[in-house]
């Protein structure tokens, strides 16, 4: 029961922030202090950065911004996310609150009610709207940037910074981030470029997280002290298990090294035990891992379902579902199975029967009715949405997922299970980071349902409990900019602001802000070093002469003598010349006034310190030179390439776009320059719709690192091949030009999916296309939608009307069947 003083304080706060008080009454839970603080900042008219753990409820602050916008007759609010799946999810949530007439969705391939007062979109869409000076920006009052830590993404991160820099100053920004260790630094930058930005950091999970290690069939706590992870000690029972199994693991590791060296024909490491091959230690114990069905039954018995098992492999996720299926486990009641079937059938009713068979629909439905599913990027987007909704309804109890599920999707679990603490990154198996561990285990604990969440790490051979505890204890990771100027960015900035102003804008990026922050520290080091250098100069002052000069002679002489010793095989003429120089220096040194000083060696020691520190200081100064203005220098190189290709003319204040430059303003993507130049040269003229779709696919498709280069095998015949060769030649020419201007260049075109996309755009059957593509349906749909995005741009910007018309036909050919399917 609250005291009169507490009730009085609450009343005063409500009176001071009436909008927050009104909004709070509509929420299912009492607002946490950080949520209240964020809402108050917005109500005072400030922008806000909220950094909080996964599942802490930071989106409430973004929803309050939308609430504020809807309190006026005309204000608008945009809600941006990094992924289409997140945009779709948020769109559905906001429609439930504000009605379909007030909420829109823009994700590149989806356009629903785009002129609504509340519009959910991907960040790229907002960037494009800003550059196009879209009328939709009129009356925009708030922009919510969910998962803003995505600006660290090296492929797409620049988009976040572009939006933050270019949004009108009248727009209030709500930046929502995972817990990062440099939130204050990021907030300082936001305050610099946006003004009046408050930083709110919370490291408190609303639902506490219990950490466990599954050893055989025992769930052992990771920490002895459950009062708090930050100060807790590792469970000593786990350390004892580690010591019992460690000797065996070490013996096996040495045996592997021994055998590896022997079979490879290399010199083997010295074998232990007097030359004998390694054997297992007699006290070693093998920890048998529970099978997945048994783990699920353990979690069910201990009331720890629903659960998400994170498996860092799509194949592993699907295999796990099949393993559970074969075990006969059924986690649902008859009533739940009926509800699952009704929902799935209603959600997939527009899919053709023959496609359902290709997609493995009936087996997938049977697994769902058992309460089990997989979730990964290879799954058809429509199927993923069904899994997510059934899981939220508590009908699906176990999901086997890759780490992509942890990126903001609203699928909280009671328990998260990590089977391994490492994953394959495309090149090697690497340990997961503390940030990844935090993101994954952050799914555990459902607010309002669970008293606590549970993270379960399954014991593996060689596991170090201390290392797991370190991951669990570190809850933050740094946010580092990946910003770099692009050709499209350059032409838009020059057109909007002129070249000098564009350079200034780019120098206000977070990338430059971080570089400059580092420069501040380096400059401080230089200042301190200069003070020390002045002191060394005084210490070596000699009344017999200029010891600084004398030390220089000694140093030059020492360097030459050393070189002479090392370079004994040099030609005789070179050695004679060097010896003359050495003799001359010795004579100068001996005749110098300081040579006879009684304190000569003491002075010399100070001189040596001086030169050593000076070398270090000179290197630091070089670092400062390299970091200062790095973004603007990269922009200048981009503009030089554009000038060489006649996309811009003039220099300095007189830099302006040509007609080709104005076309490039509306071409977005990694290959903006290649697309613009191919259009200008007419390389794709004469292609039919399926061939243009295949060409667009070659420009957006990024093969897996382990995918073999198929060369020309499977390429569409006819005009496509000639156009593809010309486009590849153009890419090579542009890549050389970029290298000449010290730019990184781009990857070659990837034609691995061209044949399958050509067949699909021509009306081919799904089963045949997926065989040709050699990929899962979800992957094909993802690349098809990116192909659609590019075709849509071509239909708008191509000056040749025949190419524009063909692009529209190609777009319609690709957007059909499972690609066109949407649950919206």
């Amino acid at each position: 029961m609250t005291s009169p003083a507490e009730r009085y304080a609450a009343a005063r706060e409500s009176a001071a922030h009436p909008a927050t008080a009104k909004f709070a009454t509509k929420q299912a839970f009492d607002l946490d202090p950080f949520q209240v603080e964020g809402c108050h900042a917005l109500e005072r008219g400030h922008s806000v950065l909220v950094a909080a753990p996964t599942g802490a409820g930071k989106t409430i602050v973004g929803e309050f911004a939308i609430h504020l916008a809807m309190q006026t007759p005309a204000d608008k609010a945009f809600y941006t996310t990094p992924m289409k799946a997140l945009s779709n999810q948020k769109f559905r949530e906001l429609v439930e609150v504000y009605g379909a007439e007030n909420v829109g969705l823009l994700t590149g391939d989806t356009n629903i009610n785009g002129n609504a007062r509340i519009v959910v979109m991907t960040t790229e869409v907002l960037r494009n709207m800003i550059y196009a000076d879209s009328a939709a920006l009129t009356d925009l009052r708030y922009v919510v940037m969910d998962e803003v830590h995505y600006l660290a993404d090296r492929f797409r991160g620049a988009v976040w910074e572009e939006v933050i820099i270019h949004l009108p100053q009248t727009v209030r920004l709500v930046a929502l981030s995972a817990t990062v260790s440099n939130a204050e630094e990021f907030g300082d930058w936001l305050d610099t470029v946006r003004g009046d930005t408050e930083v709110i950091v919370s490291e408190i999970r609303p639902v506490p997280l219990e950490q466990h290690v599954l050893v055989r069939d025992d769930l052992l706590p990771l920490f002895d002290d459950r009062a708090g992870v930050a100060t807790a000690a590792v469970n000593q029972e786990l350390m004892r298990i580690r010591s019992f199994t460690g000797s065996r693991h070490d013996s096996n590791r040495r045996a592997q090294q021994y055998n590896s060296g022997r079979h490879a024909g290399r010199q083997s490491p010295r074998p232990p035990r007097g030359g004998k091959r390694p054997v297992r230690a007699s006290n070693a114990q093998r920890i048998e891992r529970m099978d997945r069905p048994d783990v699920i039954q353990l979690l069910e018995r201990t009331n720890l379902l629903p659960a998400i098992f994170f498996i860092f492999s799509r194949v592993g996720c699907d295999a796990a579902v099949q393993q559970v299926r074969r075990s006969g486990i059924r986690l649902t009641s008859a009533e739940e199975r009926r509800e699952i079937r009704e929902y799935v059938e209603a959600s997939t009713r527009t899919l053709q029967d023959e496609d359902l068979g290709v997609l493995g629909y009936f087996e997938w439905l049977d697994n769902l009715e058992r309460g089990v599913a997989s979730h990964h990027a290879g799954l058809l987007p429509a199927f993923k949405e069904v899994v997510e909704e059934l899981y939220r309804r508590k009908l699906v109890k176990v999901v086997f997922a890759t780490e992509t599920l942890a990126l903001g999707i609203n699928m909280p679990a009671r328990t998260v299970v990590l089977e391994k603490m490492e994953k394959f990154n495309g090149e090697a198996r690497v340990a997961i980071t503390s940030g990844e561990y935090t993101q994954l285990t952050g799914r555990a604990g459902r607010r309002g349902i669970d008293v606590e969440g549970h993270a379960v790490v399954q014991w593996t051979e060689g596991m170090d409990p201390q290392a797991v505890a370190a991951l669990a204890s570190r809850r933050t990771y740094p946010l580092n900019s990946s910003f770099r100027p692009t050709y499209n960015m350059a032409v838009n900035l020059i057109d909007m602001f002129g070249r000098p102003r564009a350079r200034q804008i780019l120098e206000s990026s977070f990338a430059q802000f971080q570089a400059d922050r580092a420069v501040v520290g380096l400059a401080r080091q230089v200042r301190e070093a200069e003070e020390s250098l002045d002191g060394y100069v005084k210490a070596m002052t000699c009344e017999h002469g200029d010891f600084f000069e004398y030390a220089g002679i000694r140093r030059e002489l020492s360097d030459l003598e050393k070189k002479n010793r090392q370079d004994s095989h040099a030609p005789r003429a070179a050695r004679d010349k060097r010896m003359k120089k050495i003799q001359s220096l010795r004579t100068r040194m001996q005749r110098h006034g300081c040579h006879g000083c009684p304190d000569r060696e003491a002075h010399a020691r100070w001189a040596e310190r001086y030169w050593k520190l000076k070398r270090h200081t000179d290197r630091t100064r070089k670092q400062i030179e390299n970091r200062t203005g790095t973004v603007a220098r990269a922009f200048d190189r981009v503009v030089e390439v554009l000038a060489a290709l006649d996309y811009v003319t003039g220099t300095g204040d007189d830099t302006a776009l040509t007609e080709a430059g104005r076309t490039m303003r509306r071409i977005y993507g990694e290959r903006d320059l290649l697309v613009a130049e191919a259009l200008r040269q007419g390389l794709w003229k004469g292609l039919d719709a399926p061939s243009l779709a295949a060409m667009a696919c070659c420009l957006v498709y990024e093969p897996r690192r382990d995918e073999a280069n198929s060369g020309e095998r499977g390429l569409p015949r006819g005009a496509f091949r000639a156009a593809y060769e010309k486009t590849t030649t153009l890419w090579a020419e542009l890549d050389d030009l970029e290298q000449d201007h010290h730019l990184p260049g781009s990857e070659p075109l990837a034609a691995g999916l061209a044949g399958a996309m050509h067949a699909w755009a021509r009306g081919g059957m799904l089963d045949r296309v997926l065989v040709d593509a050699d990929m899962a349906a979800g992957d094909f749909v993802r690349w098809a939608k990116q192909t659609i995005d590019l075709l849509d741009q071509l239909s708008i910007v191509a000056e040749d009307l025949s190419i524009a018309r063909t692009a529209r036909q190609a777009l319609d050919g690709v957007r059909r069947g499972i690609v066109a399917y949407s649950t919206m």
Side-chain angles (χ1 to χ4, degrees):
M1 185 174 179
T2 58
S3 67
E6 290 172 330
R7 290 195 297 272
Y8 176 72
R12 287 195 60 181
E13 184 176 285
S14 296
H17 302 93
T20 301
K22 180 180 178 181
F23 176 75
T25 61
K26 300 179 180 180
Q27 305 309 306
F29 313 104
D30 291 338
L31 297 187
D32 290 333
F34 84 91
Q35 294 169 328
V36 172
E37 190 178 352
C39 292
H40 286 178
L42 286 172
E43 195 169 354
R44 289 193 296 270
H46 297 173
S47 293
V48 64
L49 165 65
V50 179
T54 301
K58 50 185 173 287
T59 56
I60 283 287
V61 182
E63 291 164 7
F64 178 67
I66 296 172
H67 169 80
L68 287 177
M70 296 303 287
Q71 303 309 301
T72 67
D75 282 352
K76 293 180 180 178
F78 289 172
Y79 197 107
T80 74
T81 76
M83 295 184 296
K84 293 177 182 179
L86 287 177
S87 293
N88 294 341
Q89 186 178 91
K90 202 66 193 179
F91 171 76
R92 289 191 292 266
E93 293 174 3
L94 291 172
V95 164
E96 291 179 4
V97 178
Y98 295 101
E101 70 280 5
N102 288 317
V103 185
L105 177 66
L106 298 173
T107 60
D109 61 329
T110 303
N111 186 335
I112 300 174
N113 199 15
N115 292 318
R117 292 182 60 194
I118 305 168
V119 185
V120 183
M121 62 187 70
T122 52
T123 317
E124 282 85 353
V125 169
L126 178 53
R127 185 272 311 273
N128 299 350
M129 290 171 65
I130 292 172
Y131 281 158
D133 196 20
S134 170
L137 298 172
T138 304
D139 295 323
L140 180 61
R141 179 61 175 163
Y142 298 97
V143 166
V144 181
M145 301 190 77
D146 203 355
E147 309 285 343
V148 76
H149 50 274
Y150 253 79
L151 68 77
D153 184 270
R154 67 189 185 97
F155 297 110
R156 300 172 57 209
V159 176
W160 273 256
E161 293 192 45
E162 289 179 80
V163 169
I164 292 169
I165 292 170
H166 297 309
L167 272 176
Q169 289 297 316
T170 55
V171 176
R172 298 292 88 187
L173 182 70
V174 184
L176 308 177
S177 170
T179 307
V180 292
S181 53
N182 58 336
E184 292 294 341
E185 178 188 41
F186 184 49
D188 287 347
W189 174 69
L190 289 176
D191 193 64
T192 300
V193 295
R194 304 294 313 164
D196 291 333
T197 301
E198 296 192 23
V199 179
I200 298 161
V201 177
S202 174
E203 296 187 15
I204 300 173
R205 284 177 49 96
V207 180
L209 182 64
E210 292 293 330
Q211 310 271 353
H212 310 273
V213 177
L214 178 59
V215 184
R216 295 190 183 91
D217 58 352
D218 290 333
L219 275 176
L220 302 178
L222 175 59
F223 297 99
D224 280 335
D225 180 9
R226 296 197 176 195
V229 171
T231 58
V234 177
N235 187 342
Q236 290 305 300
E237 186 174 352
L238 292 174
M239 298 306 296
R240 285 192 292 273
I241 294 171
R242 161 71 172 167
S243 66
F244 290 151
T245 61
S247 55
R248 173 183 175 272
H249 172 68
D250 292 340
S251 294
N252 287 347
R253 177 173 52 80
R254 290 194 297 269
Q256 289 169 3
Q257 292 173 344
Y258 176 83
N259 291 329
S260 174
R262 185 164 61 88
H263 291 305
R266 298 189 299 269
Q267 183 178 0
S268 302
R270 179 179 297 176
R273 302 179 186 269
K276 297 180 181 179
R277 293 180 61 188
V279 296
R280 289 184 184 177
S282 59
N283 65 340
Q285 294 185 8
R286 180 179 179 84
I287 302 295
E288 298 293 341
R289 286 168 58 91
M290 292 182 74
D291 289 336
R292 290 186 183 111
D294 295 330
V295 175
I296 291 173
Q297 290 178 325
L298 171 65
L299 297 178
E300 186 180 28
R301 287 195 306 271
T302 51
N303 196 28
L304 292 180
L305 294 181
I308 297 173
F309 286 67
F310 281 110
I311 301 175
F312 303 113
S313 154
R314 302 178 186 181
V315 173
C317 290
D318 293 335
V321 172
Q322 293 306 313
Q323 184 182 7
V324 175
R325 176 189 177 90
R326 289 192 299 269
S327 74
I329 287 180
R330 192 177 293 277
L331 304 171
T332 54
S333 66
E335 176 60 27
E336 287 174 328
R337 290 193 289 275
R338 182 191 61 77
E339 189 177 346
I340 289 170
R341 178 174 288 272
E342 288 178 356
Y343 178 78
V344 173
E345 290 177 348
S347 299
T348 59
R349 63 183 180 278
T350 60
L351 286 173
Q352 300 177 5
D353 289 344
E354 58 267 30
D355 288 348
L356 291 177
V358 173
L359 296 169
Y361 167 84
F362 300 102
E363 184 176 303
W364 173 69
L365 174 58
D366 182 65
N367 291 329
L368 290 174
E369 290 182 342
R370 293 173 181 272
V372 181
S374 63
H375 189 289
H376 54 72
L379 200 63
L380 189 69
F383 283 16
K384 280 198 292 188
E385 291 174 8
V386 167
V387 171
E388 291 162 12
E389 182 59 27
L390 291 177
Y391 193 84
R392 283 193 290 270
R393 293 187 183 188
K394 308 174 191 175
L395 297 172
V396 167
K397 321 288 185 177
V398 172
V399 169
F400 296 97
T402 57
E403 67 266 38
T404 54
L405 185 146
L407 301 176
I409 297 292
N410 182 25
M411 281 182 63
R414 176 164 294 170
T415 303
V416 163
V417 179
L418 300 182
E419 295 189 346
K420 294 182 179 179
M421 300 298 289
E422 61 180 19
K423 66 176 184 178
F424 185 70
N425 67 357
E427 296 178 349
R429 299 207 68 84
V430 297
I432 64 173
T433 66
S434 59
E436 289 168 333
Y437 184 90
T438 301
Q439 193 82 1
L440 296 170
T441 57
R443 296 286 107 197
R446 300 165 299 173
R447 189 167 187 175
I449 302 174
D450 299 321
V451 176
E452 58 193 16
H454 299 267
V456 176
V457 176
Q458 195 163 8
W459 184 274
T460 55
E461 190 170 5
M463 176 183 285
D464 180 4
Q466 293 278 15
V468 179
L471 289 178
S473 300
R474 285 195 298 268
R475 302 187 176 209
T476 61
Y477 47 95
L479 177 61
N480 294 314
S481 173
S482 61
F483 185 83
R484 60 180 179 84
T486 65
Y487 297 106
N488 171 270
M489 184 193 305
V491 294
N492 273 289
L493 290 176
I494 290 171
D495 190 56
M496 294 170 69
F497 305 107
R499 185 171 177 178
R501 173 68 179 137
R503 286 183 102 259
Q504 293 175 11
I505 289 171
L506 291 174
E507 286 177 336
S508 69
S509 66
F510 187 45
Q512 192 58 57
F513 184 84
Q514 287 191 305
D516 289 342
R517 282 267 174 122
V519 164
V520 169
L522 292 173
R524 185 176 63 250
Q525 292 178 27
V526 169
R527 287 195 303 273
E528 293 171 352
E530 287 173 343
E531 293 175 3
S532 297
L533 289 172
D534 290 341
Y536 295 165
V537 170
K538 292 177 182 177
M540 72 170 98
T541 301
C542 179
E543 60 184 18
H544 295 275
D546 185 350
F547 200 91
F548 194 84
E549 179 185 61
Y550 176 74
I553 297 171
R554 278 180 53 144
R555 186 167 194 82
E556 186 179 0
L557 176 60
S558 175
D559 290 343
L560 271 176
E561 289 176 335
K562 180 179 180 181
K563 187 174 183 180
N564 199 46
R565 289 192 298 272
Q566 294 175 342
D567 198 13
S568 58
H569 300 292
R572 183 178 182 84
R575 286 177 57 82
D576 289 345
K577 183 178 179 181
R578 191 182 300 137
M579 285 304 300
K580 287 182 181 179
K581 178 68 173 175
I582 289 173
Q583 190 56 49
S584 173
L585 287 171
R586 283 175 180 166
T587 300
R588 286 180 60 196
M589 181 184 71
Q590 290 167 358
R591 291 177 178 176
H592 198 284
C594 294
H595 191 66
C597 176
D599 297 323
R600 181 186 67 195
E601 293 309 311
H603 292 160
R605 285 193 291 273
W606 285 109
E608 188 60 32
R609 294 174 189 172
Y610 174 90
W611 287 111
K612 184 176 181 181
L613 181 58
K614 188 176 186 303
R615 281 199 307 271
H616 176 75
T617 305
D618 288 344
R619 286 196 297 268
T620 305
R621 285 197 181 98
K622 188 67 176 176
Q623 284 183 271
I624 293 174
E625 291 174 9
N626 291 338
R627 294 192 183 198
T628 303
T630 51
V631 177
R633 282 202 301 274
F635 170 73
D636 287 338
R637 293 170 189 151
V638 166
V639 175
E640 287 168 6
V641 170
L642 292 171
L645 296 169
D646 198 32
Y647 285 89
V648 300
T649 60
T651 58
D653 292 346
D654 297 326
T655 304
L657 303 187
T658 63
E659 189 62 36
R662 282 187 284 275
T663 297
M664 184 182 280
R665 286 190 63 219
R666 295 174 292 169
I667 299 174
Y668 303 98
E670 288 290 315
R671 299 192 185 273
D672 46 9
L673 181 61
L674 178 59
V675 171
E677 195 66 6
L679 284 176
R680 186 163 68 161
Q681 295 185 20
L683 301 187
W684 304 332
K685 192 172 183 178
L687 292 179
D688 61 12
S691 296
L692 188 57
M695 182 62 69
C697 181
C698 292
L699 293 165
V700 300
Y701 178 56
E702 298 173 9
R704 299 187 305 269
R705 296 183 189 181
D706 58 345
E707 185 175 316
N709 187 357
S710 59
E712 294 190 359
R713 181 173 54 82
L715 289 183
R717 299 183 181 278
F720 173 86
R721 294 205 174 192
Y724 178 76
E725 289 177 3
K726 291 178 182 177
T727 306
T728 300
T729 300
L730 174 60
W731 166 81
E733 293 170 352
L734 295 178
D735 191 65
D736 288 342
L737 181 62
E738 289 176 316
Q739 299 286 350
D740 290 343
H741 286 83
H742 308 289
L743 290 170
S746 59
E747 293 295 319
L749 274 68
L753 195 54
M757 193 60 67
H758 185 274
W760 179 253
R762 204 174 61 238
M765 298 296 291
L766 177 63
D767 56 348
R768 183 61 190 167
V769 168
L770 291 182
V771 170
D772 291 344
D774 189 24
M775 62 176 54
D779 291 321
F780 179 76
V781 168
R782 185 171 73 258
W783 294 120
K785 290 192 173 184
Q786 291 197 33
T787 300
I788 288 171
D789 286 346
L790 179 54
L791 289 170
D792 188 43
Q793 291 181 47
L794 297 180
S795 71
I796 296 171
V797 304
E799 295 182 0
D800 188 315
L801 296 181
S802 65
I803 293 180
R805 185 166 53 252
T806 304
R808 181 56 58 184
Q809 294 169 355
L811 190 156
D812 292 338
V814 176
R815 187 189 281 156
R816 66 180 182 86
I818 63 171
V819 177
Y821 175 82
S822 173
T823 56
M824 288 297 154

